[in-house]
Amino acid sequence: MPNKGHTVFVCQGTGCLSGGAEQIYSCLQSGIVEANLGDSIQIRRTGCHGFCQRGPLVVIEPEGIFYTKVQPDDVSEIAQSLLPQGKPVERLFYHDPATNRPIPCHRDIPFYSKQQRVVLRNCGNIDPENIEDYLAVGGYQALRKALLEMTPERVIDEVKLSGLRGLGGAGFPAGRKWEACRRAPSEEKYVICNADEGDPGAFQDRSVMEGDPHSVLEGMIIAGYAIGAERGFIYVRAEYPLAVKRLRIAITQAREKGFLGDDILDSRFDFDIQIFQGAGAFVCGESTALVLSIEGKRGMPKPLPRPRTAEKGLWDKPTLLNNVKTFANIPLIIANGAEWFAARGTEKSKGTAIFSLTGKVANNGLIEVPMGMTLREIIYDIGGGIPEGKAFKAVQTGGPSGGCLPASMLDMSVDFDSLTAAGSMMGSGGMVVMDEDTCMVDVARYFLDFTRREACGQCIPCRLGTEQMFEILDDITKGQGRPEGIDLLLELGEAVKSGSLCALGQTAPNPVLTTIKYFRKEYEAHIYEKRCPAGVCQALITKLDY
Amino acid sequence: MDELEEELLREILSFYQGSRGELVPILLEVQGNFGYLPEEAVQMVASFLNMTEGKIYSVASFYSQFRLIPLGRNRVTVCRGTACHIRGAPQLLAEAEKVLGLKEGETSADLEYTLETVACFGCCALAPVMKINNAVHGEMTPEKVGELFATWNEGEQGA
């Protein structure tokens, strides 16, 4: 392998770090010095490369050589491979699960080749702790363009034209929210980035913050300029210490470079961002609850009729609240234009969607695809299908607010409206694949156990409804289900949906309603035959004594 | 709380202005230093922010991060996330409960271990996941739980 101008990228996402990526990085550093390659080889730490399951990952560019599950013992061999006569270390390549064929370059691996990494373009390719890396790939150019060449109204028009919809779950058109916030009369306004990724089974916001924190900051600063705010907050989960650390570093560096603070780029626009660590409450995904939480109160959604946060939010001032990925899209839209953005996706869902693809699927990780790709393409082409020759049963999107979709819906387009029509939702981007060994009643019970714990308790349909639904589901999984249980679940589900005060309760029944709709036979087997077809529910498994 | 701890708390508070919006960050920092929210600390925070202790407890009890009882020296956390659940987290938790002789949420009498669960670590691609203090262990099985504690205990004794 020629050794001129090589860069070795070592992924330092949470997934790879848990596999020892920090040690790999330091071993590689000394390995490269020992092999006398210090002058010709650069070694860089990056954020999440996406294929967390195969981590720790090491990538060598420009060839794109992709090493998986790298251990400290492998490092000297990798260093040797970088010598002029060196050969790549084949045993560390990704092997195609179907054919066992080694694939040396990440660009040829279907997990990557079928994706369109737009928002994630920098994740895995730049050092998230070094602003120079972000600047080198055009970072903060969009901010410069917005502040120096565009009026705030023009920025909002661009966001509206792009068709970008909020990527936190509900999919409200981002531009309209920005416009409402701009129009709300007030001296003081705020921008909040919702990074309280509360859905279990989702890590895409965490990965964006860890891998490309400046793109989030840049989007927020542009938003502040557009709506007329001078202060921004990032509301981030306390369970994400690495994201908090990288955001802190990014904020400090952005201040030093004059992208945050007073008179940004001599435009007379002032803006600063501070981090607010959430203390753990799923309901704080609801905007009025999140705002109360920053004010130091219990994060309970405000009663109806609720003021719109865009008009009366944090400390009763107009507040723009968007998700991490929504902000990360903004610099791209401003830099490349609305048309460029809208060229991807479907008629009503523009751009790309980022998913945490996990569960019973061969390739687990962080993926980005154009809106409108089918579930089948995501699960089989990118995800590599179901491992161990098992049969696909369902795919769950939208976390506790979403639903489980069966094999008959695999050819459905993945976009906001199709998912909602099918009884699920886009949510913040969790996508959990389930196979024949997953019990759908147990899954429904699992989600209701989550929502009943997370219900804030102020409205009765949600507080008592989720509890009752959980108890019925619990009985069914224990072999004590009654014939009327299914109808009772449907009736309760509708009541909780229509009677709850906020989206937590309004969507909590979705996992139950969709599993009954698409997997009713499994419920019936539990109730009438006292049998768990997937063999999950312990109380229904007869142990044979040999 | 002894004098040293009071001093530490005063130092923590000195970085804040005393506005109510700082309550959650203050409590997180207090807990970061003490492992939980000691009663005396809550009293001091209350007078610093000019709030009743009751108001502080109403906030502290709302969020899952805050604890009002001391934590064990070692925290074992099993992830309850969706991907972990369908890949066997309930069995991991059962095994950890067996090995430690603790139920979820409990701390051993000698304050050596606390066993807890978390809604999601966001390490779903490595499911099922458990964490011992700050080290994340991915692709766990019930068998590996036993091995992990065995090596862990050896390491502790060797240290």
Side-chain angles (χ1 to χ4, degrees), chain A residues 350-415:
Chain A
K350 299 295 185 195
T352 57
I354 302 179
F355 289 105
S356 311
L357 182 63
T358 61
K360 305 285 187 71
V361 61
N363 302 331
N364 277 235
L366 179 74
I367 62 159
E368 180 172 2
V369 297
M371 294 270 188
M373 191 179 247
T374 66
L375 284 168
R376 187 185 301 280
E377 288 172 287
I378 295 177
I379 295 166
Y380 285 88
D381 295 350
I382 295 174
I386 316 300
E388 296 167 34
K390 301 269 182 180
F392 169 89
K393 185 183 272 183
V395 56
Q396 211 280 342
T397 66
S401 318
C404 295
L405 305 176
S408 62
M409 305 190 89
L410 276 173
D411 291 309
M412 194 183 83
S413 143
V414 174
D415 59 70

Side-chain angles (χ1 to χ4, degrees), chain A residues 49 51 59-66 93-97 99 101-115 117 363 381-382:
Chain A
H49 208 279
F51 211 167
V59 181
I60 294 160
E61 298 287 5
E63 290 89 349
I65 302 286
F66 188 73
F93 288 165
Y94 170 82
H95 286 70
D96 185 298
T99 60
R101 184 173 60 94
I103 307 180
C105 172
H106 63 84
R107 285 180 282 268
D108 300 324
I109 299 172
F111 177 80
Y112 287 109
S113 64
K114 308 270 178 177
Q115 293 189 47
R117 291 169 84 89
N363 302 331
D381 295 350
I382 295 174

Side-chain angles (χ1 to χ4, degrees), chain B residues 109-127:
Chain B
D110 59 0
L111 290 186
E112 197 54 38
Y113 288 104
T114 295
L115 178 62
E116 55 190 1
T117 62
V118 67
C120 186
F121 279 127
C123 287
C124 319
L126 303 173

Side-chain angles (χ1 to χ4, degrees), chain B residues 77-149:
Chain B
T77 316
V78 179
C79 182
R80 277 193 281 119
T82 317
C84 290
H85 179 80
I86 66 166
R87 289 171 85 155
Q91 289 86 314
L92 283 192
L93 181 61
E95 186 64 24
E97 288 183 335
K98 208 170 88 189
V99 173
L100 295 174
L102 296 170
K103 290 271 167 222
E104 176 196 345
E106 285 180 354
T107 298
S108 57
D110 59 0
L111 290 186
E112 197 54 38
Y113 288 104
T114 295
L115 178 62
E116 55 190 1
T117 62
V118 67
C120 186
F121 279 127
C123 287
C124 319
L126 303 173
V129 173
M130 70 187 279
K131 204 164 146 183
I132 300 183
N133 298 326
N134 289 321
V136 178
H137 301 274
E139 298 178 338
M140 289 297 294
T141 60
E143 297 76 52
K144 282 197 204 164
V145 173
E147 290 165 25
L148 199 61
F149 281 116

Side-chain angles (χ1 to χ4, degrees), chain A residues 142-416:
Chain A
L143 176 67
R144 194 174 294 275
K145 182 174 170 188
L147 292 186
L148 306 180
E149 297 168 27
M150 296 166 84
T151 62
E153 288 79 8
R154 180 83 194 76
V155 172
I156 291 174
D157 279 344
E158 205 66 29
V159 176
K160 273 170 77 181
L161 272 174
S162 75
L164 174 69
R165 291 169 68 169
L167 294 166
F172 189 81
R176 271 173 48 203
K177 206 188 241 183
W178 287 36
E179 191 170 48
C181 217
R182 165 110 202 137
R183 284 192 182 151
S186 174
E187 287 288 301
E188 248 174 276
K189 294 179 187 180
Y190 301 104
V191 174
I192 302 178
C193 172
N194 184 355
D196 189 41
E197 190 164 50
D199 284 17
F203 54 91
Q204 57 290 322
D205 294 352
R206 194 208 71 201
S207 302
V208 172
M209 291 185 284
E210 287 178 7
D212 194 12
H214 285 286
S215 69
V216 183
L217 302 186
E218 188 176 3
M220 288 180 71
I221 306 167
I222 294 171
Y225 172 69
I227 67 160
E230 290 181 3
R231 269 179 84 186
F233 294 85
I234 304 177
Y235 186 98
V236 57
R237 293 183 79 188
E239 285 95 338
Y240 286 176
L242 185 62
V244 171
K245 177 187 157 204
R246 296 215 171 128
L247 285 167
R248 286 226 166 96
I249 295 172
I251 289 172
T252 308
Q253 293 178 342
R255 278 186 196 137
E256 284 164 8
K257 293 271 176 192
F259 299 122
L260 279 174
D262 291 343
D263 196 18
I264 297 170
L265 302 172
D266 302 321
S267 66
R268 286 194 240 159
F269 167 63
D270 308 335
F271 192 77
D272 209 349
I273 294 175
Q274 74 185 76
I275 293 171
F276 186 95
Q277 287 194 57
F282 178 66
V283 70
C284 288
E286 202 279 337
S287 58
T288 58
L290 185 148
V291 159
L292 285 171
S293 174
I294 296 185
E295 292 174 5
K297 299 171 188 157
R298 288 166 74 95
M300 300 201 290
K302 288 182 185 166
L304 296 167
R306 266 194 289 268
R308 288 208 293 167
T309 309
E311 284 152 7
K312 207 173 167 199
L314 188 58
W315 296 300
D316 285 339
K317 306 287 185 225
T319 302
L320 176 73
L321 180 66
N322 277 139
N323 171 270
V324 173
K325 298 176 296 291
T326 315
F327 283 122
N329 264 296
I330 297 298
L332 289 166
I333 292 172
I334 298 302
N336 302 309
E339 265 178 53
W340 170 88
F341 180 82
R344 274 197 189 80
T346 66
E347 193 195 335
K348 288 190 175 147
S349 301
K350 299 295 185 195
T352 57
I354 302 179
F355 289 105
S356 311
L357 182 63
T358 61
K360 305 285 187 71
V361 61
N363 302 331
N364 277 235
L366 179 74
I367 62 159
E368 180 172 2
V369 297
M371 294 270 188
M373 191 179 247
T374 66
L375 284 168
R376 187 185 301 280
E377 288 172 287
I378 295 177
I379 295 166
Y380 285 88
D381 295 350
I382 295 174
I386 316 300
E388 296 167 34
K390 301 269 182 180
F392 169 89
K393 185 183 272 183
V395 56
Q396 211 280 342
T397 66
S401 318
C404 295
L405 305 176
S408 62
M409 305 190 89
L410 276 173
D411 291 309
M412 194 183 83
S413 143
V414 174
D415 59 70
F416 287 105

Side-chain angles (χ1 to χ4, degrees), chain A residues 51-131:
Chain A
F51 211 167
C52 318
Q53 183 195 19
R54 305 281 167 159
L57 301 174
V58 172
V59 181
I60 294 160
E61 298 287 5
E63 290 89 349
I65 302 286
F66 188 73
Y67 292 135
T68 63
K69 296 210 181 263
V70 177
Q71 294 303 312
D73 293 348
D74 303 326
V75 165
S76 64
E77 222 176 315
I78 295 177
Q80 294 299 317
S81 81
L82 295 163
L83 290 166
Q85 302 80 25
K87 290 251 181 319
V89 190
E90 194 178 310
R91 64 185 175 82
L92 298 174
F93 288 165
Y94 170 82
H95 286 70
D96 185 298
T99 60
N100 207 29
R101 184 173 60 94
I103 307 180
C105 172
H106 63 84
R107 285 180 282 268
D108 300 324
I109 299 172
F111 177 80
Y112 287 109
S113 64
K114 308 270 178 177
Q115 293 189 47
Q116 290 188 21
R117 291 169 84 89
V118 179
V119 176
L120 298 178
R121 69 200 177 284
N122 295 330
C123 289
N125 298 319
I126 64 169
D127 181 348
E129 297 186 12
N130 186 350
I131 194 171

